[in-house]
Amino acid sequence: MKAAGCVFLLAAVGVTAAPPARFEERVLATDLKGGYQVVALDMNRDGKPDLLALAQGLEELVWFENPGWQRHSLAKVGARPINLAACSRDADGYPKIVVAHGFANEAKNSAGIVSVVRRQGGEWTVTEIDRLTTSHRLRCAAVDGPGKKIVVNGPLTGPNAERPDYRGHVPLVYYRPGEWKRTLIGTENEGVMHGVEIYDWDGDGRDDILTASFSGIHVYGLGKNGQWKRTEIAKGDPGPCPKCGASDLAVGRAGTARFVASIEPWHGNQVVAYRQSGGAWTRTVIDDSLVDGHTIQTADLNGDGDDEIVAGQRAKDYKIYVYYAQPNGLWKRTALDDGGVSAAACAVADLNGDNRPDLACIGAATANLKIYFNVGP
């Protein structure tokens, strides 16, 4: 499968053939050393999504203003920032940004600082709210229904984990904006918990929290009794740890079927899709050629009603691929970027107001940030 343009997946029920989307590139920066995350967020209250970028080699957050994409320095947060999320806004409309910094893969070397960046008196200020070893993934979730969101913090490992197998249970926690008190969701996941995805899994109008870890793929849902319930979706890659389980995940739809897309194992080589069949989720590897796979997204890029899978790798030749569902049950792979960005993360948003989803991807080794404007099929 390593050079396949089409690879077998699941029967994509109701999928119709449509041409792939076309994209036009724009480079926004080439000096984001250790680029790790990009987030689409309206920073200046003009109703347009800007791009907020975080790089492990920079102590400051930077943002790029839509539509001219001018660069601005936001705030100095400290060494080794790793993730951010903006789940609420102040009364003046500016976002409150929660950022995790002081990160290291091994718990004994990781401060795990969590801070709030907000605009006060015309200046952006940084206020520490917590320290949780290896704080790594920050996400927004409306677990109580539409409205006020919580900030989910998924550390990479447990507090005593050590390489190579990082044994131990990993805490999953959250903060309510304004209170900023750490509240535990659960500690069931083991080893490395690399991926956190927010999605209304059971369709009850409230967000659930999906995790990808050495334990596999699980969903945490908040019951009406206020208790969290963890449910297994899949075990992920069956290999021995630390190359086991799942690394990153996203949920999409192809035809009438929901699917879960995953990179496996941790920083792995496989793009995997799961489809529910008879109550179980069937695992199918659709590509096994990635080197240090590190980001996965789903979006309907060509306007046919079916979600595509976008996956990127950080190492070797630097690739970003798009996988299109086909009527015959195959998925067709196309290259979005062939060698230009070592994709640590990508974000999906309509960045130019044409009602098509665009992509922005940030590179680790390549230290760059690119927009891929979707110009249609």
Side-chain angles (χ1 to χ4, degrees):
M1 283 194 295
K2 293 186 183 300
C6 260
V7 286
F8 182 77
L9 176 62
L10 45 88
V13 181
V15 169
T16 57
R22 296 171 299 128
F23 296 90
E24 294 179 353
E25 294 184 12
R26 178 164 178 174
V27 178
L28 301 190
T30 58
D31 62 343
L32 304 177
K33 184 180 179 181
Y36 199 84
Q37 187 191 22
V38 57
V39 173
L41 178 68
D42 181 4
M43 291 294 300
N44 57 356
R45 308 176 303 172
D46 67 353
K48 299 183 181 70
D50 307 299
L51 291 175
L52 182 56
L54 174 152
Q56 288 190 278
L58 299 180
E59 294 191 0
E60 66 173 357
L61 304 179
V62 296
W63 67 282
F64 299 83
E65 185 178 355
N66 191 344
W69 305 107
Q70 298 89 345
R71 178 172 173 163
H72 305 277
S73 175
L74 183 68
K76 184 176 180 179
V77 296
R80 302 188 307 281
I82 191 71
N83 238 223
L84 62 84
C87 307
S88 61
R89 291 180 180 268
D90 282 318
D92 60 4
Y94 285 103
K96 287 185 282 194
I97 301 162
V98 182
V99 59
H101 50 108
F103 175 79
N105 276 349
E106 284 205 75
K108 64 184 180 182
N109 300 321
S110 177
I113 304 169
V114 183
S115 297
V116 177
V117 181
R118 60 188 299 191
R119 189 176 175 90
Q120 295 178 302
E123 300 290 336
W124 289 90
T125 64
V126 182
T127 304
E128 182 178 324
I129 61 168
D130 196 14
R131 291 199 176 205
L132 180 60
T133 302
T134 70
S135 290
H136 181 253
R137 288 285 181 262
L138 298 178
R139 298 290 184 266
C140 304
V143 298
D144 299 317
K148 191 174 181 179
K149 296 182 179 181
I150 63 172
V151 182
V152 177
N153 181 1
L156 185 72
T157 73
N160 301 308
E162 295 182 350
R163 63 181 69 199
D165 52 6
Y166 299 94
R167 291 184 184 273
H169 292 273
V170 190
L172 182 66
V173 307
Y174 72 87
Y175 314 93
R176 290 194 182 277
E179 300 173 9
W180 305 122
K181 177 184 176 182
R182 185 205 303 172
T183 303
L184 182 66
I185 297 172
T187 60
E188 295 88 350
N189 289 337
E190 296 188 43
V192 168
M193 182 172 67
H194 192 264
V196 176
E197 172 82 349
I198 307 302
Y199 188 85
D200 181 4
W201 186 252
D202 55 11
D204 67 352
R206 301 183 301 159
D207 283 339
D208 303 293
I209 304 167
L210 282 77
T211 61
S213 70
F214 283 4
S215 300
I217 298 173
H218 295 81
V219 58
Y220 283 86
L222 181 62
K224 294 182 179 179
N225 61 358
Q227 301 297 310
W228 290 92
K229 180 181 178 182
R230 175 178 177 263
T231 304
E232 181 180 277
I233 298 173
K235 296 186 182 301
D237 191 289
C241 293
K243 291 300 182 181
C244 62
S247 187
D248 294 275
L249 76 161
V251 182
R253 300 196 72 87
T256 60
R258 179 174 62 179
F259 66 88
V260 178
S262 175
I263 289 179
E264 299 178 5
W266 177 36
H267 291 173
N269 64 309
Q270 303 164 359
V271 178
V272 179
Y274 293 90
R275 182 192 174 197
Q276 195 169 24
S277 177
W281 288 86
T282 302
R283 177 180 189 265
T284 307
V285 177
I286 65 172
D287 193 355
D288 62 1
S289 69
L290 300 191
V291 183
D292 193 11
H294 204 269
T295 183
I296 194 161
Q297 302 284 338
T298 57
D300 180 8
L301 299 175
N302 61 354
D304 64 356
D306 302 316
D307 284 339
E308 283 69 56
I309 300 172
V310 181
Q313 66 178 43
R314 293 189 303 181
K316 203 177 179 180
D317 300 325
Y318 312 141
K319 307 285 187 182
I320 304 175
Y321 292 123
V322 181
Y323 303 84
Y324 292 86
Q326 302 297 296
N328 59 359
L330 305 179
W331 283 55
K332 180 180 180 180
R333 189 183 77 183
T334 65
L336 174 67
D337 196 302
D338 193 354
V341 57
S342 55
C346 295
V348 179
D350 180 5
L351 297 175
N352 56 5
D354 66 356
N355 296 315
R356 297 189 185 102
D358 306 303
L359 292 160
C361 296
I362 192 167
T366 50
N368 55 351
L369 175 63
K370 282 188 180 184
I371 294 177
Y372 304 86
F373 288 110
N374 187 343
V375 296

